[in-house]
Amino acid sequence: MPMIRLETCLISGNLTSVPETSKERSLPEQRMVEDCKRGNLRAFEGLYDTHSARMKSVALNLLGNTSDAEDAVQEAFLRIYRSIASFRAQSSLSTWAYRILVNACYDLMRKRKRRSETPELDTDRQQEFQASSSDHPLRLTLEKYLAQLDPRSRNVFLLFEVEGFTHREIGEILDIREGTSKSVLFEAKRGLQRLINQASGVKGP
Amino acid sequence: MKFECRDLESILRRQDSEQLEAAAVHAETCPQCRAQLQLWNEISVAAKLLHRSWHSPDLWPRIHQALTAESQEPAKEPAFRRMFAFLGNWQALTAGLALLLILGAGTWTIVSNLGPPAEEEGRLLTEEALSEVEKAEAAYIRSIQRLSKLVEPQVRRASSPILVSYREKLMLIDVAIAACQANIESNRFNAHLRSELLAIYRDKEATLLSVIREGKNVQN
């Protein structure tokens, strides 16, 4: 049975989904891996074209500003280039790339902490993003709550709920079990649900 | 399946689509479950709006430039030279030699002591003592299984000479365990064999803990 994976793209406030089967991807992906291993920059460009939008979004949600997010994506591609020779296809190329991206984001966060830098607020982008915050009343609460979560819970929530990865893919990206991903997501959402219920004076289960 | 309100939490945890459908049907007549499910789904809808997209026309050119510069770096040394590159570092060399000596001595000790010495062949355990020993062995096995799962990725990747050495040591220990267990099958009450097996299990547990510590050192 082919695995259906949902990719979500935000275009003009509407969500569109593009179902893809892993079988359709596997041959082109194999070719891409081989080309990347040969150092073919067009193959890397293909990887960029396919994944950069999602990678930038993941990085922005982890790092808080577009400049750092773009730096993290650039660093991730450098690391992919350096270590592609050791890629053994135990996971898909894309989940491996996202794992490298998440690590690059955390390395950048640590570097920033060491230098005691505060994240540079990208004011143009902030205005652009804030304009859409009125789209859903829970969005601001969600952003505040996510900032308080531990890294693993935040990563699972972002990858599943925001970016549409499956738990299996999240397992490969974060090197955790699929069941663990589901549990972590459940706890994160339950915590958020309680917070919202408390704020509105509603008694939960 | 008869759905009850208290089932909602476990269904949301498992995210089983059939059971979620049953929950939705139940929620049509249960205000509390309906409110919880609605909020649960609203969180997912709101989360999708956190996906950000923006135009970065100069990002790929920067990446392309960086990759081109990387590709023009001087050619790396052949793989076999990289493997032994650590030999240039005398401290790593000393540590590596010390580890080889320890491994060699440990292997010799394990292998040479597998058979029970003649004078100890007569020592047998009582039923009660055997039961206690088997409980201790089972506890070690559980601990080893838990630790093995934790270190499996590190051992598989073995990203440093020390981790490669640990991997080889673990393989040798497994060989020793298998040999000891084979002997025990025909000598269950032999105290010497049983104490040897416990010693090997202790060694494996300690080695797995060393791998975890080494992994943490590499990360830091």
Side-chain angles (χ1 to χ4, degrees):
Chain A
M1 182 189 260
M3 184 180 71
I4 307 291
R5 200 168 77 193
L6 193 70
E7 283 185 297
T8 57
C9 303
L10 188 64
I11 301 172
S12 307
N14 296 319
L15 289 169
T16 59
S17 58
V18 181
E20 248 180 21
T21 61
S22 60
K23 203 175 170 185
E24 283 164 7
R25 262 214 163 158
S26 63
L27 284 174
E29 176 165 303
Q30 270 174 31
R31 210 167 296 137
M32 191 182 278
V33 170
E34 283 158 24
D35 287 344
C36 285
K37 286 187 177 188
R38 281 194 283 269
N40 183 336
L41 291 188
R42 280 188 171 270
F44 282 94
E45 190 172 5
L47 191 65
Y48 177 86
D49 287 341
T50 308
H51 293 289
S52 62
R54 219 176 187 186
M55 288 174 93
K56 279 159 52 184
S57 178
V58 168
L60 177 60
N61 275 308
L62 288 176
L63 294 167
N65 70 83
T66 55
S67 172
D68 283 352
E70 288 178 6
D71 285 347
V73 170
Q74 180 177 334
E75 178 61 24
F77 269 87
L78 255 180
R79 292 183 188 186
I80 290 166
Y81 183 85
R82 284 173 190 152
S83 52
I84 188 73
S86 62
F87 175 68
R88 295 278 173 264
Q90 283 161 337
S91 60
S92 71
L93 178 63
S94 57
T95 54
W96 181 69
Y98 281 98
R99 185 199 283 214
I100 289 175
L101 173 71
V102 169
N103 288 337
C105 288
Y106 279 101
D107 288 344
L108 196 55
M109 262 190 251
R110 274 193 288 270
K111 239 189 243 179
R112 194 201 284 164
K113 256 190 204 167
R114 273 201 296 268
R115 282 189 249 146
S116 305
E117 281 175 11
T118 47
E120 184 192 302
L121 283 175
D122 190 341
T123 46
D124 288 344
R125 298 291 179 198
Q126 283 292 106
Q127 282 165 6
E128 184 187 318
F129 296 142
Q130 272 171 6
S132 58
S133 70
S134 58
D135 287 352
H136 198 290
L138 285 183
R139 182 177 156 150
L140 285 175
T141 311
L142 200 49
E143 282 178 339
K144 280 185 205 161
Y145 174 72
L146 282 177
Q148 295 166 25
L149 278 181
D150 63 276
R152 190 167 79 159
S153 302
R154 183 169 57 243
N155 290 342
V156 170
F157 187 94
L158 286 173
L159 291 171
F160 186 88
E161 295 287 1
V162 178
E163 304 298 340
F165 286 96
T166 63
H167 285 293
R168 197 182 120 167
E169 288 167 327
I170 294 169
E172 287 174 9
I173 294 169
L174 301 180
D175 198 18
I176 58 176
R177 291 182 183 190
E178 199 175 323
T180 305
S181 177
K182 287 182 182 178
S183 290
V184 168
L185 177 70
F186 170 79
E187 294 299 336
K189 283 182 82 169
R190 190 168 67 164
L192 180 57
Q193 195 176 39
R194 282 190 184 139
L195 199 71
I196 294 168
N197 282 337
Q198 271 168 22
S200 54
V202 171
K203 274 190 185 170
Chain B
M1 171 195 149
K2 189 176 182 302
F3 186 93
E4 290 176 26
C5 295
R6 61 169 182 242
D7 296 331
L8 182 61
E9 188 168 294
S10 63
I11 287 168
L12 289 174
R13 186 186 290 273
R14 283 195 302 272
Q15 294 176 38
D16 182 294
S17 49
E18 273 181 33
Q19 290 178 338
L20 279 168
E21 275 175 26
V25 167
H26 163 82
E28 283 167 14
T29 51
C30 175
Q32 197 180 12
C33 287
R34 185 166 60 246
Q36 292 308 314
L37 262 183
Q38 255 174 5
L39 182 53
W40 197 262
N41 293 332
E42 271 184 46
I43 290 170
S44 296
V45 170
K48 295 287 178 284
L49 296 171
L50 294 184
H51 174 86
R52 319 293 176 99
S53 63
W54 70 97
H55 200 45
S56 314
D58 61 337
L59 181 53
W60 171 249
R62 276 166 42 196
I63 293 173
H64 187 274
Q65 196 175 24
L67 296 184
T68 306
E70 189 74 16
S71 70
Q72 285 162 0
E73 288 278 293
K76 287 195 188 298
E77 291 176 6
F80 78 89
R81 279 198 189 277
R82 285 203 304 277
M83 271 170 62
F84 293 99
F86 74 97
L87 284 176
N89 178 334
W90 69 268
Q91 287 163 324
L93 173 61
T94 311
L97 280 174
L99 199 55
L100 271 172
L101 279 171
I102 292 165
L103 269 177
T107 311
W108 183 84
T109 309
I110 289 166
V111 170
S112 66
N113 285 320
L114 278 179
E119 62 273 21
E120 291 197 70
E121 276 180 4
R123 278 180 56 204
L124 296 175
L125 297 168
T126 61
E127 284 281 352
E128 199 180 17
L130 176 63
S131 166
E132 289 302 313
V133 164
E134 282 176 341
K135 278 184 198 163
E137 285 170 8
Y140 269 116
I141 290 169
R142 280 195 299 275
S143 170
I144 285 167
Q145 281 171 348
R146 206 172 45 243
L147 290 171
S148 297
K149 272 185 199 159
L150 283 175
V151 309
E152 196 264 332
Q154 271 170 262
V155 168
R156 194 169 11 98
R157 282 194 298 266
S159 54
S160 67
I162 293 206
L163 282 174
V164 170
S165 299
Y166 280 133
R167 183 171 64 191
E168 285 162 5
K169 184 177 178 186
L170 287 168
M171 282 163 58
L172 286 170
I173 291 175
D174 284 340
V175 166
I177 289 173
C180 202
Q181 284 172 338
N183 277 333
I184 283 170
E185 271 178 17
S186 47
N187 287 290
R188 285 182 64 231
F189 291 87
N190 187 298
H192 178 83
L193 287 176
R194 289 290 184 171
S195 70
E196 281 300 311
L197 183 60
L198 284 175
I200 300 170
Y201 281 146
R202 266 198 297 280
D203 195 17
K204 181 160 184 181
E205 190 184 59
T207 306
L208 288 168
L209 287 169
S210 298
V211 172
I212 290 173
R213 276 194 291 274
E214 179 59 24
K216 282 185 182 160
N217 288 341
V218 166
Q219 274 176 10
N220 292 334

